[in-house]
Amino acid sequence: MTRFQALMAEQGADKQIVVSLRECSLDDLPAGDVLVRVEYSGINYKDALAVSGKGKILRSLPMIPGVDLAGEVVQSEHPGYRPGDRVVLTGWGVGERHSGGFAGYARFRGEWLVPLPAGLDARSAMALGTAGLTAMLCVDALEQHGLTPDSGMVVVTGATGGVGSVAVALLARLGYQVAAVSGKLAEQGAYLTSLGAGTLIDRAELALPARPLESESYAGAIDTAGGEVLAGLLPRMRYGGTVAACGLAAGHALNTTVMPFILRGVTLAGVDSVMCPLARRQAAWQRLAELMPRPLLDSLTHEVDLAGVAAVCEQMMVGRTHGRHVVRLGASAAG
């Protein structure tokens, strides 16, 4: 029987979530029509909330966390996949309602999978992961609302995080003028510049109370923060500008006015990657494969094994990480 290592989340005696390394078998996996040997997973903010127990992410216990994975199909009853196919998975409630990627093997419904695009291996795919997919969908949303490199400066909030880092790099590769917003410029300013940011802005500047309309500064924006940061961003958008909103690291409440929308024609476009339709996913992954070269991905990526996941999650919860973290799993599976 195939045995493999997994990071298992269970309810402790005090009703707190306890996460530990376990040896599992295929019988421990949920139902599904495709079995994948996981080679890499990735650590997202949602994973940090789940593993640290500081967010109500896991809907049932016991469960294997991990919202992302990439690997090789080893068994399939789905007509779209056969053994040997390379696949990537993000979203669909995996790592929340369905055991996920922090394990040597995983079993899913085939319609949740995306074929791994040419030009990406499993590690590169997880260097992107949910963060990269979300960033690409945000760029797509801005372009669909008419943004071009000639439109003016594009601002990215939470720029040292996973979504923000990939967004800065993508926009720079596409020829945009990029302003990066972060509360960690003293430590990570050089990192953001290396990704292509031409302007660095302290997060505190956007978090200050703003008038209903401020000077028109940005043609487009990708906001991962929400809260007071998004509230400070909207009055600073140029006429006809678009904000692609995808996160709430600074809070879920939005205290603003209608002025940017009715006087400047600003668009607030929501971006979700969890339930994103398959065709849009495939198109976004193909663009990522074309736009993000391996050296650039390596420059923003850190690698750990399963034993290192919990420590990274704790650091992420207190804002002490930057870029992307991938989890190496291929070596943990043993027949």
Side-chain angles (χ1 to χ4, degrees), residues 4 8 33 39-40 47 60 142 159 164 186 189 191 215 282 296 298 304:
F4 56 92
M8 185 69 71
D33 53 10
E39 296 173 6
Y40 279 90
D47 296 312
S60 64
L142 296 181
Y191 164 72
S215 297
Q282 290 177 313
L296 181 58
D298 287 344
V304 297

Side-chain angles (χ1 to χ4, degrees), residues 155 157 205-221 223 226-243 254-268:
V155 63
T157 67
E205 292 184 28
L206 286 183
L208 292 172
R211 295 174 296 179
L213 292 174
E214 297 282 358
S215 297
E216 299 181 51
S217 301
Y218 311 115
D223 177 59
E228 59 187 8
V229 176
L230 178 55
L233 185 61
L234 288 168
R236 293 174 168 87
M237 300 303 297
R238 291 175 58 176
Y239 189 91
T242 299
V243 178
L254 181 58
N255 181 19
T256 188
T257 76
V258 298
M259 296 300 192
F261 309 112
I262 65 173
L263 296 182
R264 289 185 180 164
V266 170
T267 296
L268 179 58

Side-chain angles (χ1 to χ4, degrees), residues 17 45-61 63 65-67 93-98:
I17 292 176
Y45 187 68
K46 189 177 289 185
D47 296 312
L49 288 169
V51 172
S52 68
K54 295 174 182 175
K56 296 181 180 179
I57 300 299
L58 304 176
R59 307 299 175 85
S60 64
L61 295 171
M63 181 181 289
V67 304
V94 171
E96 299 178 69
R97 298 184 297 273
H98 189 100

Side-chain angles (χ1 to χ4, degrees), residues 5-77:
Q5 290 290 305
L7 204 62
M8 185 69 71
E10 300 171 288
Q11 186 169 285
D14 57 358
K15 296 188 178 181
Q16 297 296 309
I17 292 176
V18 177
V19 178
S20 60
L21 276 174
R22 294 290 184 86
E23 184 178 82
C24 296
S25 72
L26 298 183
D27 291 338
D28 296 313
L29 298 177
D33 53 10
V34 179
L35 178 68
V36 177
R37 181 176 64 84
V38 183
E39 296 173 6
Y40 279 90
S41 184
I43 305 177
N44 301 284
Y45 187 68
K46 189 177 289 185
D47 296 312
L49 288 169
V51 172
S52 68
K54 295 174 182 175
K56 296 181 180 179
I57 300 299
L58 304 176
R59 307 299 175 85
S60 64
L61 295 171
M63 181 181 289
I64 299 168
V67 304
D68 294 346
L69 68 87
E72 180 182 0
V73 172
V74 293
Q75 295 176 10
S76 176
E77 297 176 0

